[in-house]
Amino acid sequence: MPEASARLVQKSDRPKLDIPRLDTNTSFAKEAYAALKRAITAIDIYDHADEVRLDERRLSQDLGVSRTPIREAMTLLEQEGFVRTRPRRGVYVVKKTKREIVEIITIMAALESMAARLAAERASDAEIAELRRLMDAFSGGPNGAGDGARLDEYSDANIAFHQAIIKMSGCALLAEMTENLFIHMRAIRKITIHQENRAARSIVDHMRIIEALERRDPDAAERLAREHTLGLAAHVEQHGDFLDPIRSDV
């Protein structure tokens, strides 16, 4: 199936998944699962008051398959915690509570810090140099990320930085363990990077982690990565009340 980026498009302020049609020469259920998971992962689910409802009939039309593989894909996604079924209401993309998000970030701090430690020991010089190039574009000063489109660009680089640390660990199990947490980490990082001058602090933290990697100092890399991610947990604890909106349907 040709690669196509999944986007969240807006209509009347209600989010909607934008999903490419499936290649009908492959396993429908498998491809439906993969397409839906990619689309859900791409959504900034905490940047919208409305929850994302997955309409089975619409998904069937968008993907060009019957409803059976859609239902099978939904079952797998629900088992993984991506979606949940509400009786007589439908299937919705899962949005975590503030407490749950803080717990996810805390777990990610442990995983990312171990990834940074392993990266200091295992990553190639070229990989570390590429990580520095990624951050150097934004490290011209305390406001290196700027604002507006520049800040959005840094937001993407910030996410790429954290993904790279996991990859550079060379540990497939770490990548597997973080995969299903990443949908929430990605969304929260994209929101919080715009708050409380976090972009400037993020750049400083990232550069210190890179310096530890360049020195091949696993202890420092592990400590700095853990402190960096726990800083996000503290920020969400203090400023994350928007994650617990009052809902009348619960």
Side-chain angles (χ1 to χ4, degrees):
M1 182 180 73
E3 287 295 324
S5 60
R7 307 178 304 282
L8 180 69
V9 297
Q10 297 271 9
K11 185 175 182 180
S12 302
D13 296 325
R14 299 188 68 86
K16 171 187 173 296
L17 291 178
D18 182 22
I19 307 174
R21 292 177 69 86
L22 296 183
D23 180 353
T24 54
N25 292 321
T26 58
S27 167
F28 290 165
K30 180 179 179 181
E31 291 299 319
Y33 164 80
L36 287 172
K37 189 170 184 178
R38 281 194 302 272
I40 291 170
T41 302
I43 298 174
D44 294 332
I45 57 177
Y46 299 102
D47 199 27
H48 304 273
D50 291 331
E51 292 186 292
V52 179
R53 182 177 181 274
L54 303 181
D55 184 278
E56 189 179 287
R57 182 173 60 85
R58 180 61 182 268
L59 290 173
S60 175
Q61 294 173 350
D62 288 346
L63 293 172
V65 297
S66 71
R67 295 193 186 187
T68 299
I70 299 297
R71 290 170 186 153
E72 293 176 9
M74 294 282 203
T75 297
L76 289 175
L77 290 167
E78 187 157 18
Q79 290 172 354
E80 291 186 346
F82 280 91
V83 303
R84 69 164 172 255
T85 301
R86 292 183 178 173
R88 299 180 298 280
R89 292 185 59 84
V91 180
Y92 291 81
V93 176
V94 167
K95 295 177 74 170
K96 300 293 188 180
T97 65
K98 174 182 170 180
R99 174 49 47 199
E100 289 170 333
I101 287 294
V102 170
E103 290 177 353
I104 286 173
I105 298 171
T106 302
I107 294 301
M108 284 295 291
L111 297 175
E112 288 186 333
S113 62
M114 177 53 67
R117 181 178 192 87
L118 293 173
E121 298 170 342
R122 301 177 177 179
S124 68
D125 291 342
E127 288 176 315
I128 297 173
E130 181 59 32
L131 200 61
R132 175 171 281 281
R133 281 192 291 271
L134 177 67
M135 287 294 106
D136 274 346
F138 304 95
S139 61
N143 297 313
D147 54 24
R150 183 65 170 162
L151 186 54
D152 289 338
E153 185 181 349
Y154 177 70
S155 178
D156 292 339
N158 176 45
I159 291 166
F161 176 90
H162 287 275
Q163 289 177 308
I165 293 292
I166 296 293
K167 181 179 179 181
M168 289 162 58
S169 73
C171 180
L173 184 56
L174 265 176
E176 181 181 331
M177 292 172 69
T178 57
E179 180 183 5
N180 287 350
L181 299 176
F182 188 70
I183 177 177
H184 303 286
M185 292 298 298
R186 175 187 177 278
I188 289 300
R189 280 178 170 139
K190 285 184 76 70
I191 292 175
T192 58
I193 205 67
H194 293 79
Q195 300 172 345
E196 297 288 315
N197 202 32
R198 282 194 57 78
R201 293 198 296 273
S202 173
I203 292 169
V204 171
D205 287 354
H206 287 182
M207 295 307 294
R208 288 174 177 167
I209 293 168
I210 291 170
E211 289 165 2
L213 295 176
E214 290 172 335
R215 296 194 308 270
R216 300 293 180 173
D217 186 339
D219 291 339
E222 180 179 20
R223 174 179 56 80
L224 291 166
R226 180 173 59 251
E227 291 174 354
H228 173 62
T229 303
L230 287 178
L232 175 60
H235 177 85
V236 171
E237 189 73 67
Q238 184 175 0
H239 301 284
D241 289 345
F242 67 91
L243 293 167
D244 293 329
I246 298 174
R247 297 203 303 262
S248 60
D249 60 337
V250 177

